[in-house]
Amino acid sequence: MSAPLRIAVLASGRGSNFAALLAARERGELSVEFVLVASDKADAPVLQLAQSAGIPTTVLNPREYTDRRAYDFALFDRIGASKPDLLVLAGFMRIIDGEALKPWAGRMINIHPSLLPKYRGLHTHRRALKAGDLEHGASVHYVTAELDGGPVIAQAALTIEAGDDENTLATRLLPLEHQLLPAVVALIATGRLALDDEGIQLDNEPLRKPLRWQKGILAP
Ligand code: GRF
């Protein structure tokens, strides 16, 4: 059996998606090793979660760097030292410099609370409501220099109900995020999913459209 996939998580806040990854590993659904949790915020609750689980943490304060690029190179240097195979952005609330992330192309994924390509960036729930969308959701995608613009691996969707507001939407979407992210990481950890020059490959076939999280599985 090959060694478990080594994962570094980047997160700025509460860390419920990271907690979902931990829980999936506990349940035996994810054969991975969390080698580091990195944050830009010293008081991010995600750091406590990691420490309680015995996972190393690191914090880099952006204010201590001259600009974004200097910060990002320092951050990825620090992360690289723990030799991860995969970087998972789970609520990492910073835009990453394109040059700094180049070495990690194809080895970094992000979870974003919209059905990409809709609503890149912030306030996704508000924007979906304002547009009168019938459906909203979350996407897991490979990270490229384009903000929330890399190839989308998989999505989970929900129906927007009359009376939904930003809070109810976020609250109903979060449990779906917590299923979607571990399911995608499991595909990568088992070697079934990868990104190459041709695009996303699943079981050695090009993935022509994002997978959908449906009835507890990732379906084409
Ligand atoms: C999630 O909604 C995720 O989609 C977005 O940031 C939020 C992070 O939440 N990128 P948490 O810190 O994982 O609880």
Side-chain angles (χ1 to χ4, degrees):
M1 240 179 73
S2 53
L5 191 81
R6 296 170 62 84
I7 295 182
V9 173
L10 285 80
S12 302
R14 149 185 84 172
S16 69
N17 278 287
F18 168 62
L21 290 172
L22 276 178
R25 188 188 58 168
E26 284 299 304
R27 292 194 302 269
E29 292 166 13
L30 263 189
S31 171
V32 300
E33 183 183 350
F34 295 103
V35 294
L36 186 70
V37 171
S39 186
D40 55 325
K41 298 252 186 331
D43 58 356
V46 69
L47 296 168
Q48 289 290 330
L49 281 174
Q51 283 152 16
S52 310
I55 296 160
T57 60
T58 190
V59 177
L60 267 80
N61 180 352
R63 294 215 183 101
E64 290 170 13
Y65 296 83
T66 45
D67 56 22
R68 184 196 306 285
R69 182 166 286 191
Y71 177 83
D72 289 347
F73 272 101
L75 178 68
F76 288 122
D77 247 23
R78 176 101 47 108
I79 291 170
S82 56
K83 304 213 178 313
D85 302 308
L86 178 72
L87 270 48
V88 177
L89 310 191
F92 187 61
M93 300 307 285
R94 287 179 57 83
I95 294 171
I96 300 173
D97 178 87
E99 280 301 310
L101 64 75
K102 253 189 199 160
W104 297 95
R107 295 188 292 153
M108 193 186 320
I109 61 171
N110 178 45
I111 180 150
H112 180 75
S114 81
L115 293 174
L116 291 170
K118 283 188 162 185
Y119 316 128
R120 297 173 183 179
L122 297 174
H123 309 303
T124 55
H125 312 308
R126 189 186 307 171
R127 288 156 69 198
L129 286 166
K130 196 167 170 210
D133 290 356
L134 302 175
E135 197 183 50
H136 186 47
S139 305
V140 176
H141 65 95
Y142 280 104
V143 177
T144 62
E146 203 182 336
L147 176 69
D148 300 323
V152 178
I153 303 165
Q155 299 183 312
L158 49 68
T159 303
I160 297 183
E161 311 283 355
D164 260 330
D165 59 23
E166 266 185 74
N167 282 334
T168 59
L169 262 192
T171 304
R172 287 199 293 121
L173 183 58
L174 201 57
L176 290 177
E177 294 188 30
H178 296 163
Q179 296 166 44
L180 182 66
L181 184 59
V184 171
V185 172
L187 285 182
I188 297 172
T190 51
R192 294 184 56 201
L193 184 93
L195 181 70
D196 66 19
D197 294 343
E198 316 272 286
I200 299 175
Q201 308 292 323
L202 175 66
D203 297 329
N204 299 315
E205 300 278 342
L207 185 70
R208 305 213 183 275
K209 59 182 179 51
L211 298 166
R212 274 272 169 151
W213 178 256
Q214 264 163 1
K215 300 190 179 117
I217 55 161
L218 280 176

